[in-house]
Amino acid sequence: MTVIESIIQFLGMYERENRIGVDKLESQAASYSLMKAPQENVQRFISGMEIHTDYYQLMARLDAQSEQERIANNAWGQGITEWIGQKNEAKQFPVLDGYRCTGISVSTPFYMGMTDKAGAVYQMTIAIEYVKEKKA
């Protein structure tokens, strides 16, 4: 399983109702997608161990015509942000094949990016830190 698949599986524990896609946000309301951001930080050590911090954009297309819908959307964003923080504090991380996850956090809070007549696209950035050991 890839890192992005592991993160989607992890986020699925919070968002059970809707499937989170990869790299494509569907046009219908209540669609979700996770996209890898073009940024990565890597710390390399003499031992060959590497600590990676990767960033992923979680995007959600949601109905946003009414004030109530926008309030509910922001409540969802606040809820998943708090949930990720709680999981990080409890050291309950995504399970990564071949790597050891050491942290997950929200690096850019949930916000409304684009709007149209019926809905809006919201997004947030999730940072994941993992250790890659030198292969023998």
Side-chain angles (χ1 to χ4, degrees), residues 16-29:
R16 297 183 200 282
E17 298 172 9
N18 299 297
R19 183 184 176 284
I20 299 173
V22 176
D23 289 338
K24 182 180 179 187
L25 189 61
E26 299 295 335
S27 59
Q28 76 271 9

Side-chain angles (χ1 to χ4, degrees), residues 35 70 76 80 113:
M35 303 170 188
R70 291 187 298 275
W76 183 88
I80 195 166

Side-chain angles (χ1 to χ4, degrees), residues 40-45 47-54 99-103 128-134:
E40 178 182 56
N41 297 324
V42 181
Q43 296 176 354
R44 292 181 173 83
F45 297 88
S47 67
M49 180 183 78
E50 298 176 350
I51 299 175
H52 291 248
T53 305
D54 293 346
Y99 309 110
R100 182 172 43 89
C101 187
T102 56
I128 183 165
E129 183 179 276
Y130 58 92
V131 175
K132 185 177 180 181
E133 301 288 345
K134 180 179 179 180

Side-chain angles (χ1 to χ4, degrees), residues 97-116:
D97 289 343
Y99 309 110
R100 182 172 43 89
C101 187
T102 56
I104 187 164
S105 62
V106 174
S107 64
T108 304
F110 189 77
Y111 68 97
M112 181 190 288
M114 300 181 306
T115 62
D116 59 25

Side-chain angles (χ1 to χ4, degrees), residues 7-128:
I7 297 168
I8 287 171
Q9 186 177 51
F10 175 80
L11 294 174
M13 291 187 290
Y14 179 79
E15 181 55 54
R16 297 183 200 282
E17 298 172 9
N18 299 297
R19 183 184 176 284
I20 299 173
V22 176
D23 289 338
K24 182 180 179 187
L25 189 61
E26 299 295 335
S27 59
Q28 76 271 9
S31 63
Y32 303 84
S33 184
L34 192 65
M35 303 170 188
K36 187 161 185 337
Q39 178 183 4
E40 178 182 56
N41 297 324
V42 181
Q43 296 176 354
R44 292 181 173 83
F45 297 88
I46 294 172
S47 67
M49 180 183 78
E50 298 176 350
I51 299 175
H52 291 248
T53 305
D54 293 346
Y55 298 89
Y56 292 85
Q57 297 286 0
L58 177 60
M59 302 183 78
R61 182 182 313 279
L62 302 169
D63 289 328
Q65 284 183 315
S66 72
E67 186 79 10
Q68 290 295 82
E69 289 171 329
R70 291 187 298 275
I71 289 169
N73 296 343
N74 279 284
W76 183 88
Q78 181 178 334
I80 195 166
T81 298
E82 290 171 357
W83 181 83
I84 290 170
Q86 291 165 358
K87 292 296 185 185
N88 188 58
E89 285 180 28
K91 299 192 182 315
Q92 296 173 343
F93 305 125
V95 177
L96 307 176
D97 289 343
Y99 309 110
R100 182 172 43 89
C101 187
T102 56
I104 187 164
S105 62
V106 174
S107 64
T108 304
F110 189 77
Y111 68 97
M112 181 190 288
M114 300 181 306
T115 62
D116 59 25
K117 290 181 181 180
V121 175
Y122 295 84
Q123 62 188 39
M124 63 192 295
T125 306
I126 298 171
I128 183 165

